[in-house]
Amino acid sequence: EGVVLRLERAVALGVRGGQAEQAIALLEEIIEFNPAHRAALSYRALILERSVRWLEAAGALEAWAAAETQPWPLARALKRVAWITSEHLEEPERALQLYEAVLETDPSDPEALAFLERRYSDEENWAGLVPVLQSLVDVAPNREKKTTTLRRLAEIQEDDLADESGAFHTYGALLLE
């Protein structure tokens, strides 16, 4: 039986047929033969997620991310493992690292920016928050959101970081809006 047929059978069993264990076994055979088989790695992660096996799913997603060569699927794998790590494994520091890695792949990713904005705001990590807010200004969907974010950024620079020069430039950008 060829790899493609085995992959199709695993997907049929695990995604459509509800037979996760058999599907995972088939996918692991493919991965054993080719550890960088991205389709097998991603389907194994998907089936483990659907089976609510969070720790195993996170490991499978990290294996997929390590094998991925394209930016979009890499960001997707990292976001999924970050979400699992944050929501189900309760490892906020690891989730933070993963969302930062997402931004290395896609600096405008809204999910990663939103997570980091919440996290840095909650921790009052102003130095970490400044570049996140600057990115949010760049991707703001409308003028109102952009001006609100610029105002917040300037206030943090001025009040919390005592960065008068940064605040001056940010207020200048705000006046230009």
Side-chain angles (χ1 to χ4, degrees):
E1 181 177 23
V3 171
V4 173
L5 184 58
R6 208 175 299 168
L7 182 64
E8 288 177 356
R9 201 169 90 200
V11 170
L13 287 169
V15 175
R16 296 182 209 108
Q19 298 175 11
E21 293 306 318
Q22 292 166 318
I24 291 168
L26 284 171
L27 292 167
E28 286 177 352
E29 287 176 16
I30 295 168
I31 294 165
E32 185 177 325
F33 177 73
N34 179 359
H37 196 289
R38 296 186 318 255
L41 290 165
S42 66
Y43 279 118
R44 181 177 63 157
L46 175 66
I47 292 166
L48 288 165
E49 281 183 81
R50 287 185 173 193
S51 300
V52 193
R53 293 163 59 176
W54 301 119
L55 186 58
E56 292 172 89
L61 286 163
E62 290 195 63
W64 173 28
E68 193 51 66
T69 59
Q70 300 299 313
W72 184 84
L74 173 60
R76 183 168 184 235
L78 290 172
K79 282 193 299 188
R80 285 170 56 194
V81 72
W83 179 79
I84 289 171
T85 302
S86 173
E87 298 297 317
H88 297 288
L89 301 181
E90 298 178 12
E91 295 180 25
E93 289 306 312
R94 181 71 180 128
L96 178 77
Q97 294 168 350
L98 289 161
Y99 278 119
E100 287 174 341
V102 170
L103 291 181
E104 290 174 19
T105 302
D106 179 4
S108 63
D109 184 272
E111 184 180 333
L113 288 170
F115 178 87
L116 293 173
E117 179 187 19
R118 281 189 314 273
R119 180 72 187 274
Y120 289 147
S121 293
D122 291 348
E123 294 177 349
E124 297 183 359
N125 178 349
W126 309 124
L129 184 58
V130 165
V132 172
L133 291 175
Q134 289 167 333
S135 294
L136 287 169
V137 166
D138 294 339
V139 299
N142 55 52
R143 186 170 184 250
E144 180 182 346
K145 183 67 175 167
K146 188 172 188 173
T147 57
T148 302
T149 305
L150 278 168
R151 187 174 296 110
R152 181 172 178 216
L153 175 58
E155 290 170 357
I156 288 169
Q157 289 170 317
E158 183 177 22
D159 300 337
D160 300 308
L161 294 174
D163 178 6
E164 292 176 8
S165 174
F168 177 79
H169 290 294
T170 303
Y171 281 124
L174 184 58
L175 289 173
L176 295 174
E177 281 303 312

